[in-house]
Amino acid sequence: MIRLISIIIGLGFTLVVLIAFGTGLATVISDGELKPETAEHVFHEHAHAPDEGFSFTGPFGKFDKQQLQRGLQVYSEVCAACHSLKYVSFRDIAALGYSEGQVKAFAASKQVPGIDPNTGEATMRPGLPTDRFPSPYPNAVAAAAANNNAIPPDLSLITKARHNGSEYVYSLLTGYQAQPAELLKEFPEAKTPDGLHYNPYFANLNLAMAPPLTTDGQVTYAEGNPEPTVRQMAADVAAFLTWTAEPKLEKRNQTGWPVLGFLLFATVLAFLAKKQVWSAAKRKDD
């Protein structure tokens, strides 16, 4: 009886799969030929890393603290005008090599929302290490009004929210260009609308954000750092945003290898124990 019920259930599942397949096939046939490729499919580029790569990639990767400090500077002087880092506290930057005094000074240089203790009204005050990076806009409506109705995304986890996030950020920042004549010839309807900017690394090729990094030397690095070219600044801020999304990346890599080693040792030990136990049982059978 149980076997019969199992067979009926199995046939039922098979029938459902066949119906779903048939429905999909009928939809394709009724729609006629497949839709032609769009401009997004043809001209969308895949993200790539800087020529020298990123120091944190791979199983033994580590963050370059000097690069992270430069990335924080680029974010503060360029990106912070539109994008927030709402999941990052000022005190977190101590992990980048800053002293306690430097963290306090950096926090105090930022204005964060507060409450006037005398009147109870909302006000702005100097930041504390425990405060988080403030949003440049009071609300989403104000953000949209200032950016052609496009709300700038928070960047705290942006490299985790995009495929190949570090490479994506770098490519997007360095990918602004004029629309190729070939695109306009093949897809005249894909002409970039007024107020948008063509970038082949963005999903639909056109985005509201104007090029944030426009000229070499836009941010002045301290002496001893690489030349602040557009590509260098893009790589630095991409590395910084990778750190904001994965601050424990190095520790995870360091912990992973000992764990793998222990699991391998335990597997070998279990195999040898199994051999010994079953060899004794086999001798008894003989």
Side-chain angles (χ1 to χ4, degrees):
M1 186 64 181
I2 295 177
R3 183 177 297 178
L4 179 60
I5 293 174
S6 301
I7 293 173
I8 293 173
I9 293 174
L11 290 174
F13 277 117
T14 304
L15 181 62
V16 170
V17 171
L18 289 175
I19 292 173
F21 176 77
T23 303
L25 183 61
T27 301
V28 171
I29 294 174
S30 63
D31 287 345
E33 296 182 358
L34 294 176
K35 293 181 179 180
E37 289 185 312
T38 62
E40 290 85 349
H41 290 130
V42 176
F43 288 89
H44 179 71
E45 298 286 347
H46 296 290
H48 62 279
D51 294 337
E52 65 277 8
F54 287 110
S55 64
F56 49 79
T57 56
F60 299 99
K62 292 185 177 181
F63 285 120
D64 179 346
K65 289 188 176 180
Q66 279 193 318
Q67 183 178 46
L68 297 184
Q69 291 183 10
R70 295 195 301 269
L72 171 61
Q73 183 181 354
V74 174
Y75 167 79
S76 299
E77 297 185 21
V78 180
C79 310
C82 298
H83 297 275
S84 59
L85 280 180
K86 64 182 180 181
Y87 297 119
V88 183
S89 299
F90 292 127
R91 62 184 174 186
D92 293 336
I93 68 171
L96 307 187
Y98 292 107
S99 66
E100 182 179 351
Q102 289 174 315
V103 171
K104 289 182 177 179
F106 181 84
S109 69
K110 309 298 180 182
Q111 291 291 308
V112 300
I115 300 295
D116 189 320
N118 298 318
T119 63
E121 296 179 351
T123 185
M124 300 298 288
R125 60 172 176 78
L128 298 172
T130 52
D131 291 318
R132 294 186 176 181
F133 281 73
S135 171
Y137 304 105
N139 51 59
V141 176
N147 293 277
N148 198 22
N149 288 326
I151 301 176
D154 179 80
L155 297 182
S156 306
L157 305 174
I158 194 68
T159 59
K160 296 294 287 183
R162 301 291 186 271
H163 180 63
N164 292 333
S166 307
E167 291 80 5
Y168 170 79
V169 171
Y170 171 79
S171 298
L172 190 74
L173 292 175
T174 58
Y176 288 90
Q177 56 188 267
Q179 278 191 300
E182 183 184 353
L183 181 150
L184 295 176
K185 182 179 179 181
E186 188 172 351
F187 303 97
E189 72 282 358
K191 186 179 186 303
T192 299
D194 292 339
L196 300 184
H197 307 272
Y198 177 76
N199 192 315
Y201 297 99
F202 193 63
N204 66 2
L205 305 182
N206 302 300
L207 72 163
M209 182 176 72
L213 300 174
T214 55
T215 59
D216 295 343
Q218 186 173 340
V219 174
T220 302
Y221 287 165
E223 187 177 349
N225 284 291
E227 190 71 21
T229 62
V230 169
R231 293 188 178 278
Q232 183 64 57
M233 291 184 289
D236 293 342
V237 77
F240 172 69
L241 293 177
T242 302
W243 172 79
T244 63
E246 297 188 87
K248 304 298 183 183
L249 183 146
E250 286 185 357
K251 184 171 290 186
R252 188 176 70 245
N253 287 346
Q254 293 170 357
T255 304
W257 287 108
V259 169
L260 287 176
F262 170 78
L263 291 176
L264 179 62
F265 173 75
T267 301
V268 172
L269 201 63
F271 175 75
L272 294 176
K274 174 257 182 187
K275 293 269 291 183
Q276 183 177 9
V277 169
W278 284 101
S279 63
K282 186 176 181 181
R283 284 198 299 270
K284 287 182 179 180
D285 292 340
D286 292 343

Short mmCIF file of all heavy atoms in Angstrom, two decimals, residues 184-217:
data_model
loop_
_atom_site.label_atom_id
_atom_site.label_comp_id
_atom_site.label_asym_id
_atom_site.label_seq_id
_atom_site.Cartn_x
_atom_site.Cartn_y
_atom_site.Cartn_z
N LEU A 184 24.55 54.09 -31.37
CA LEU A 184 23.49 54.98 -31.87
C LEU A 184 23.02 54.55 -33.26
O LEU A 184 21.85 54.74 -33.61
CB LEU A 184 24.01 56.41 -31.91
CG LEU A 184 24.34 57.02 -30.53
CD1 LEU A 184 24.94 58.41 -30.69
CD2 LEU A 184 23.11 57.06 -29.65
N LYS A 185 23.93 53.97 -34.03
CA LYS A 185 23.55 53.50 -35.36
C LYS A 185 22.67 52.27 -35.29
O LYS A 185 21.68 52.14 -36.02
CB LYS A 185 24.81 53.20 -36.18
CG LYS A 185 24.52 52.75 -37.61
CD LYS A 185 25.82 52.50 -38.36
CE LYS A 185 25.54 52.02 -39.79
NZ LYS A 185 26.80 51.76 -40.54
N GLU A 186 23.03 51.35 -34.38
CA GLU A 186 22.29 50.08 -34.27
C GLU A 186 21.04 50.23 -33.41
O GLU A 186 20.02 49.60 -33.67
CB GLU A 186 23.20 49.01 -33.69
CG GLU A 186 22.61 47.62 -33.70
CD GLU A 186 23.62 46.55 -33.29
OE1 GLU A 186 24.82 46.88 -33.15
OE2 GLU A 186 23.21 45.39 -33.11
N PHE A 187 21.12 51.06 -32.38
CA PHE A 187 19.99 51.26 -31.47
C PHE A 187 19.76 52.76 -31.28
O PHE A 187 20.09 53.32 -30.22
CB PHE A 187 20.25 50.60 -30.11
CG PHE A 187 20.54 49.14 -30.17
CD1 PHE A 187 21.86 48.68 -30.17
CD2 PHE A 187 19.52 48.21 -30.25
CE1 PHE A 187 22.14 47.32 -30.21
CE2 PHE A 187 19.79 46.85 -30.29
CZ PHE A 187 21.10 46.40 -30.28
N PRO A 188 19.20 53.45 -32.26
CA PRO A 188 19.00 54.90 -32.13
C PRO A 188 18.11 55.28 -30.96
O PRO A 188 18.23 56.37 -30.40
CB PRO A 188 18.36 55.28 -33.47
CG PRO A 188 17.83 54.01 -34.04
CD PRO A 188 18.74 52.93 -33.56
N GLU A 189 17.21 54.35 -30.57
CA GLU A 189 16.32 54.64 -29.44
C GLU A 189 17.06 54.63 -28.10
O GLU A 189 16.51 55.04 -27.07
CB GLU A 189 15.17 53.64 -29.40
CG GLU A 189 15.54 52.22 -28.97
CD GLU A 189 16.22 51.40 -30.08
OE1 GLU A 189 16.38 51.93 -31.19
OE2 GLU A 189 16.57 50.23 -29.82
N ALA A 190 18.31 54.14 -28.10
CA ALA A 190 19.07 54.04 -26.85
C ALA A 190 19.89 55.28 -26.56
O ALA A 190 20.74 55.27 -25.67
CB ALA A 190 19.99 52.81 -26.91
N LYS A 191 19.65 56.35 -27.27
CA LYS A 191 20.40 57.59 -27.04
C LYS A 191 20.21 58.05 -25.59
O LYS A 191 19.11 58.03 -25.05
CB LYS A 191 19.91 58.69 -27.99
CG LYS A 191 20.72 59.98 -27.91
CD LYS A 191 20.20 61.00 -28.90
CE LYS A 191 21.09 62.23 -28.92
NZ LYS A 191 21.23 62.85 -27.60
N THR A 192 21.30 58.41 -24.97
CA THR A 192 21.26 58.82 -23.56
C THR A 192 20.37 60.04 -23.38
O THR A 192 20.59 61.08 -24.01
CB THR A 192 22.67 59.15 -23.05
OG1 THR A 192 23.50 57.99 -23.17
CG2 THR A 192 22.64 59.59 -21.59
N PRO A 193 19.34 59.95 -22.54
CA PRO A 193 18.43 61.08 -22.31
C PRO A 193 19.15 62.24 -21.63
O PRO A 193 20.20 62.06 -20.98
CB PRO A 193 17.35 60.49 -21.39
CG PRO A 193 17.48 59.01 -21.53
CD PRO A 193 18.91 58.74 -21.80
N ASP A 194 18.61 63.42 -21.77
CA ASP A 194 19.17 64.59 -21.10
C ASP A 194 19.14 64.37 -19.59
O ASP A 194 18.16 63.87 -19.03
CB ASP A 194 18.35 65.84 -21.44
CG ASP A 194 18.49 66.23 -22.91
OD1 ASP A 194 19.50 65.80 -23.53
OD2 ASP A 194 17.60 66.93 -23.43
N GLY A 195 20.21 64.75 -18.94
CA GLY A 195 20.30 64.60 -17.49
C GLY A 195 20.91 63.29 -17.04
O GLY A 195 21.20 63.11 -15.86
N LEU A 196 21.10 62.34 -17.97
CA LEU A 196 21.73 61.06 -17.64
C LEU A 196 23.12 61.00 -18.29
O LEU A 196 23.46 61.83 -19.15
CB LEU A 196 20.87 59.89 -18.11
CG LEU A 196 19.47 59.79 -17.50
CD1 LEU A 196 18.76 58.53 -17.97
CD2 LEU A 196 19.53 59.83 -15.97
N HIS A 197 23.89 60.00 -17.90
CA HIS A 197 25.27 59.89 -18.36
C HIS A 197 25.54 58.45 -18.80
O HIS A 197 25.20 57.50 -18.10
CB HIS A 197 26.22 60.30 -17.24
CG HIS A 197 25.92 61.65 -16.66
ND1 HIS A 197 26.45 62.81 -17.17
CD2 HIS A 197 25.10 62.02 -15.65
CE1 HIS A 197 25.99 63.84 -16.48
NE2 HIS A 197 25.18 63.39 -15.54
N TYR A 198 26.19 58.31 -19.94
CA TYR A 198 26.46 56.99 -20.51
C TYR A 198 27.63 56.33 -19.79
O TYR A 198 28.69 56.93 -19.59
CB TYR A 198 26.78 57.10 -22.00
CG TYR A 198 27.12 55.77 -22.64
CD1 TYR A 198 26.13 54.85 -22.94
CD2 TYR A 198 28.44 55.43 -22.92
CE1 TYR A 198 26.44 53.63 -23.50
CE2 TYR A 198 28.76 54.21 -23.49
CZ TYR A 198 27.75 53.31 -23.78
OH TYR A 198 28.07 52.10 -24.34
N ASN A 199 27.41 55.08 -19.39
CA ASN A 199 28.47 54.30 -18.74
C ASN A 199 28.21 52.83 -19.05
O ASN A 199 27.21 52.26 -18.59
CB ASN A 199 28.46 54.53 -17.23
CG ASN A 199 29.71 53.99 -16.55
OD1 ASN A 199 30.14 52.88 -16.83
ND2 ASN A 199 30.30 54.78 -15.67
N PRO A 200 29.07 52.17 -19.82
CA PRO A 200 28.81 50.79 -20.24
C PRO A 200 28.86 49.78 -19.10
O PRO A 200 28.49 48.62 -19.29
CB PRO A 200 29.93 50.52 -21.26
CG PRO A 200 31.03 51.45 -20.86
CD PRO A 200 30.34 52.68 -20.36
N TYR A 201 29.30 50.20 -17.91
CA TYR A 201 29.38 49.26 -16.79
C TYR A 201 28.12 49.31 -15.93
O TYR A 201 27.97 48.52 -15.01
CB TYR A 201 30.61 49.56 -15.94
CG TYR A 201 31.89 49.37 -16.71
CD1 TYR A 201 32.56 50.46 -17.26
CD2 TYR A 201 32.41 48.10 -16.92
CE1 TYR A 201 33.72 50.28 -18.00
CE2 TYR A 201 33.56 47.91 -17.66
CZ TYR A 201 34.21 49.00 -18.20
OH TYR A 201 35.35 48.81 -18.94
N PHE A 202 27.23 50.25 -16.23
CA PHE A 202 25.96 50.32 -15.52
C PHE A 202 24.95 49.43 -16.24
O PHE A 202 25.01 49.26 -17.46
CB PHE A 202 25.46 51.77 -15.48
CG PHE A 202 24.34 52.00 -14.52
CD1 PHE A 202 24.52 51.80 -13.16
CD2 PHE A 202 23.09 52.40 -14.96
CE1 PHE A 202 23.49 52.02 -12.26
CE2 PHE A 202 22.06 52.62 -14.07
CZ PHE A 202 22.25 52.42 -12.72
N ALA A 203 24.00 48.88 -15.48
CA ALA A 203 23.10 47.85 -16.02
C ALA A 203 22.37 48.31 -17.28
O ALA A 203 22.30 47.58 -18.26
CB ALA A 203 22.10 47.43 -14.95
N ASN A 204 21.80 49.51 -17.25
CA ASN A 204 21.05 49.97 -18.43
C ASN A 204 21.80 51.04 -19.23
O ASN A 204 21.21 51.77 -20.01
CB ASN A 204 19.66 50.47 -18.04
CG ASN A 204 19.73 51.73 -17.19
OD1 ASN A 204 20.81 52.26 -16.91
ND2 ASN A 204 18.58 52.22 -16.77
N LEU A 205 23.10 51.13 -19.01
CA LEU A 205 24.03 51.99 -19.75
C LEU A 205 23.93 53.47 -19.40
O LEU A 205 24.86 54.22 -19.71
CB LEU A 205 23.83 51.83 -21.27
CG LEU A 205 23.91 50.40 -21.83
CD1 LEU A 205 23.73 50.43 -23.34
CD2 LEU A 205 25.22 49.73 -21.45
N ASN A 206 22.86 53.92 -18.81
CA ASN A 206 22.69 55.34 -18.50
C ASN A 206 22.34 55.51 -17.03
O ASN A 206 21.44 54.84 -16.52
CB ASN A 206 21.57 55.94 -19.36
CG ASN A 206 21.83 55.80 -20.84
OD1 ASN A 206 22.83 56.30 -21.35
ND2 ASN A 206 20.96 55.10 -21.55
N LEU A 207 23.04 56.39 -16.34
CA LEU A 207 22.74 56.62 -14.93
C LEU A 207 22.72 58.10 -14.61
O LEU A 207 23.29 58.93 -15.34
CB LEU A 207 23.74 55.90 -14.03
CG LEU A 207 25.18 56.42 -13.93
CD1 LEU A 207 25.83 55.82 -12.69
CD2 LEU A 207 26.01 56.04 -15.14
N ALA A 208 22.04 58.42 -13.52
CA ALA A 208 21.84 59.82 -13.15
C ALA A 208 23.09 60.44 -12.55
O ALA A 208 23.26 61.66 -12.60
CB ALA A 208 20.67 59.93 -12.17
N MET A 209 23.96 59.63 -11.96
CA MET A 209 25.15 60.17 -11.30
C MET A 209 26.14 60.70 -12.32
O MET A 209 26.60 59.96 -13.19
CB MET A 209 25.81 59.10 -10.43
CG MET A 209 27.02 59.59 -9.68
SD MET A 209 27.75 58.35 -8.57
CE MET A 209 28.49 57.21 -9.75
N ALA A 210 26.47 61.97 -12.20
CA ALA A 210 27.51 62.54 -13.07
C ALA A 210 28.86 61.97 -12.66
O ALA A 210 29.03 61.47 -11.55
CB ALA A 210 27.51 64.07 -12.92
N PRO A 211 29.84 62.00 -13.55
CA PRO A 211 31.17 61.47 -13.20
C PRO A 211 31.70 62.14 -11.94
O PRO A 211 31.92 63.37 -11.94
CB PRO A 211 32.02 61.82 -14.42
CG PRO A 211 31.06 61.97 -15.54
CD PRO A 211 29.80 62.53 -14.93
N PRO A 212 31.90 61.40 -10.85
CA PRO A 212 32.38 62.04 -9.61
C PRO A 212 33.88 62.33 -9.65
O PRO A 212 34.34 63.28 -9.02
CB PRO A 212 32.04 61.00 -8.53
CG PRO A 212 32.00 59.70 -9.26
CD PRO A 212 31.54 59.99 -10.65
N LEU A 213 34.63 61.49 -10.34
CA LEU A 213 36.08 61.70 -10.47
C LEU A 213 36.36 62.15 -11.89
O LEU A 213 36.28 61.36 -12.84
CB LEU A 213 36.82 60.39 -10.15
CG LEU A 213 36.60 59.82 -8.75
CD1 LEU A 213 37.26 58.46 -8.61
CD2 LEU A 213 37.11 60.78 -7.68
N THR A 214 36.68 63.41 -12.05
CA THR A 214 36.78 63.98 -13.39
C THR A 214 38.20 64.32 -13.82
O THR A 214 38.52 64.28 -15.00
CB THR A 214 35.93 65.25 -13.48
OG1 THR A 214 36.34 66.17 -12.44
CG2 THR A 214 34.45 64.93 -13.30
N THR A 215 39.06 64.66 -12.88
CA THR A 215 40.42 65.07 -13.24
C THR A 215 41.44 64.48 -12.29
O THR A 215 41.14 64.22 -11.11
CB THR A 215 40.55 66.61 -13.19
OG1 THR A 215 40.24 67.07 -11.86
CG2 THR A 215 39.62 67.28 -14.18
N ASP A 216 42.64 64.26 -12.79
CA ASP A 216 43.74 63.83 -11.94
C ASP A 216 44.03 64.93 -10.91
O ASP A 216 43.95 66.12 -11.21
CB ASP A 216 44.99 63.56 -12.77
CG ASP A 216 44.81 62.40 -13.74
OD1 ASP A 216 43.87 61.62 -13.55
OD2 ASP A 216 45.62 62.28 -14.70
N GLY A 217 44.37 64.52 -9.69
CA GLY A 217 44.66 65.48 -8.65
C GLY A 217 43.44 66.11 -8.03
O GLY A 217 43.55 67.09 -7.27
#
